[in-house]
């Protein structure tokens, strides 16, 4: 989530949706637990690192207070003890939100008057989630019993979920590059032992798609490739998107390889099929071009006999090859049989 960091030196005691919070006390608590981790004896105890991670998590959530998604504006003002005059309406896509600004956070209410997003505008400890993940990972590396392992896994899962939530908020706000970074962090947290999530591939896919939308192709390419490493294919879409990345990066051979690989695994994926046909039409010439295109089209027709455009493209290729008119005409007619409006 994109935050506006204020100078912590100027913040001492603030009023949040919890009530009054002693910011310096929170910071002192984190600092004392960090120092304990650096102690040669205490630093070898997993419990020390777990305590440090938990203090960082508390510091991360502190600005948000006890507000919860789905609550009403009256409930929020009841927590604070007053109704803010700092209000505005904003549009994101087709959705309109009323934004209420209180100390430390902006609260976004949807058209039904329910709290939909909470965006902190201050951080008591910068990069608290990153540091908490490192602390949990360090604790696990020291060797833990089943009880502590379960506690560490739960903490890491919470970090992953928080990054995912922040990524979704950034996506809603149209901050696609930020959303990509957050989705990737959620994925990396989910890969961190001892937590294991089955959604890692989807998280990397979301990170890749956000980078792709943000037109950061150099970032999107390795993220899509990571999805393939994890055998997460999104019904073939990964191959098609990765091919687009290679095309944009000028890697023609890689583009061909990934499309052919994708077509072998997902012969019914229309996006892969169309991309591969277009690739051959643009990059090959003569009989080689025609034969490869016809091979792809015939495979595609076998798997998708009701796609009219396939017969149309095949007819065009046959025409270019000088195929007898009756065969070309029969192919075009088949196109009309499948879809009379084509």
């Amino acid at each position: 989530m994109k935050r506006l960091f204020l100078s912590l030196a100027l913040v001492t005691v603030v009023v949040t949706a919890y009530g009054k919070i002693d910011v310096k006390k929170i910071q002192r608590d984190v600092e004392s637990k960090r120092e304990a981790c650096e102690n040669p004896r205490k630093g070898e105890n997993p419990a020390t690192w777990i305590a440090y991670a938990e203090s960082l998590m508390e510091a991360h959530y502190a600005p948000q207070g006890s507000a919860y998604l789905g609550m009403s504006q009256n409930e929020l003002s009841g927590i604070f003890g007053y109704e803010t005059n700092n209000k505005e309406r904003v549009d994101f896509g087709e959705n309109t939100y009323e934004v209420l600004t209180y100390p430390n956070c902006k609260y976004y209410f949807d058209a039904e008057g329910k709290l939909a997003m909470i965006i902190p505008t201050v951080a008591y400890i910068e990069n608290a989630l990153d540091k908490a993940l490192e602390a949990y990972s360090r604790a696990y590396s020291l060797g833990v019993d089943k009880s502590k392992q379960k506690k560490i896994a739960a903490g890491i899962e919470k970090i992953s979920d928080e990054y995912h939530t922040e990524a979704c908020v950034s996506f809603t706000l149209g901050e696609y590059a930020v959303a990509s970074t957050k989705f990737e962090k959620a994925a990396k947290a989910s890969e961190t032992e001892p937590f294991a999530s089955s959604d890692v591939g989807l998280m990397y896919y979301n990170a890749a798609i956000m980078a792709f939308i943000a037109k950061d192709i150099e970032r999107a390419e390795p993220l899509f490739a990571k999805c393939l490493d994890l055998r997460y294919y999104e019904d073939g879409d990964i191959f098609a998107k990765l091919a687009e990345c290679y095309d944009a990066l000028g890697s023609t051979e890689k583009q061909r390889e990934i499309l052919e690989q994708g077509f072998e695994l997902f012969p019914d994926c229309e996006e892969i099929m169309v991309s591969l046909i277009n690739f051959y039409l643009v990059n090959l010439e003569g009989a080689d071009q025609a034969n490869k295109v016809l091979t792809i089209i015939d495979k595609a027709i076998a798997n998708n006999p009701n796609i009219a455009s396939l017969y149309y493209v095949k007819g065009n290729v046959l025409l270019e090859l000088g195929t007898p008119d009756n065969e070309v005409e029969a192919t075009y007619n088949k196109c009309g049989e499948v879809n009379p409006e084509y």
Side-chain angles (χ1 to χ4, degrees):
M1 182 184 301
K2 190 174 182 179
R3 287 182 162 56
L4 300 175
F5 294 105
L6 302 181
S7 173
L8 297 181
L10 300 178
V11 183
T12 55
V13 176
V14 297
V15 178
T16 71
Y18 279 133
K20 291 185 177 180
I21 287 183
D22 189 333
V23 178
K24 285 190 174 181
K25 182 177 182 300
I26 292 174
Q27 295 170 337
R28 285 197 301 269
D29 182 55
V30 171
E31 181 61 18
S32 66
K33 289 180 170 58
R34 185 192 66 78
E35 291 176 351
C37 291
E38 294 181 349
N39 182 284
R41 180 176 60 84
K42 294 180 180 179
E44 294 302 311
N45 186 344
T48 304
W49 288 94
I50 292 174
Y52 176 45
E54 290 175 342
S55 71
L56 287 163
M57 293 298 290
E58 290 175 5
H60 172 77
Y61 285 112
Q64 301 181 31
S66 56
Y68 58 90
L69 299 183
M71 73 188 309
S72 67
Q73 293 188 24
N74 287 338
E75 289 172 323
L76 181 64
S77 61
I79 292 176
F80 278 98
Y82 70 96
E83 182 177 348
T84 181
N85 292 321
N86 193 341
K87 300 180 181 181
E88 62 176 327
R89 286 188 177 276
V90 295
D91 294 320
F92 298 115
E94 298 179 354
N95 299 312
T96 299
Y97 298 90
E98 185 168 13
V99 185
L100 275 60
T101 301
Y102 281 95
N104 301 333
C105 287
K106 289 187 175 183
Y107 300 88
Y108 287 69
F109 289 84
D110 61 23
E112 297 179 355
K114 302 297 183 181
L115 183 58
M117 295 186 291
I118 304 172
I119 302 182
T121 54
V122 62
Y124 299 153
I125 300 293
E126 291 192 29
N127 303 317
L129 289 180
D130 291 351
K131 295 173 181 176
L133 180 60
E134 292 174 0
Y136 277 127
S137 181
R138 174 59 176 159
Y140 181 67
S141 72
L142 294 172
V144 294
D145 56 27
K146 287 186 178 180
S147 176
K148 285 188 174 62
Q149 179 174 324
K150 185 176 180 180
K151 193 172 189 178
I152 292 170
I156 294 174
E157 182 178 14
K158 194 172 184 179
I159 291 171
S160 179
D161 288 345
E162 179 66 5
Y163 275 134
H164 185 271
T165 298
E166 292 182 353
C168 290
V169 169
S170 295
F171 168 72
T172 300
L173 299 179
E175 299 172 347
Y176 303 122
V178 177
S180 177
T181 298
K182 295 295 185 180
F183 277 127
E184 184 181 14
K185 287 189 175 186
K188 288 183 175 180
S190 292
E191 292 180 305
T192 303
E193 292 184 325
F195 179 55
S197 171
S198 59
D199 294 330
V200 174
L202 176 59
M203 294 178 193
Y204 275 113
Y205 175 70
N206 287 336
I209 285 293
M210 291 297 99
F212 190 83
I213 294 174
K215 302 187 185 305
D216 189 349
I217 303 302
E218 291 186 350
R219 172 175 169 77
E221 183 269 324
L223 290 170
F224 282 126
K226 177 69 174 181
C227 293
L228 294 188
D229 292 341
L230 295 170
R231 298 183 183 277
Y232 184 85
Y233 302 131
E234 194 67 20
D235 296 327
D237 184 65
I238 299 294
F239 292 94
K241 289 293 189 296
L242 193 50
E244 287 189 59
C245 291
Y246 288 142
D247 183 31
L249 296 172
S251 302
T252 304
E253 185 60 24
K254 287 185 177 181
Q255 182 187 5
R256 179 189 63 78
E257 290 175 356
I258 204 66
L259 285 172
E260 291 179 344
Q261 180 185 351
F263 188 72
E264 285 297 319
L265 292 173
F266 297 93
D268 57 345
C269 178
E270 186 173 353
E271 189 173 2
I272 293 177
M273 174 190 64
V274 171
S275 295
L276 187 54
I277 290 173
N278 287 334
F279 176 85
Y280 287 145
L281 291 174
V282 171
N283 293 283
L284 299 179
E285 295 180 356
D288 188 33
Q289 177 201 67
N291 291 333
K292 283 186 176 291
V293 171
L294 287 175
T295 298
I296 295 297
I297 292 176
D298 286 338
K299 284 185 179 180
I301 288 175
N303 290 293
N304 304 277
N306 295 319
I307 299 180
S309 60
L310 292 176
Y311 300 97
Y312 179 77
V313 174
K314 182 175 182 179
N316 290 342
V317 175
L318 292 175
L319 188 63
E320 288 291 327
L321 288 174
T323 305
D325 291 346
N326 61 332
E327 187 176 343
V328 175
E329 184 176 355
T331 304
Y332 283 138
N333 287 341
K334 185 64 178 178
C335 174
E337 291 174 14
V338 171
N339 183 358
E341 296 181 0
Y342 190 83

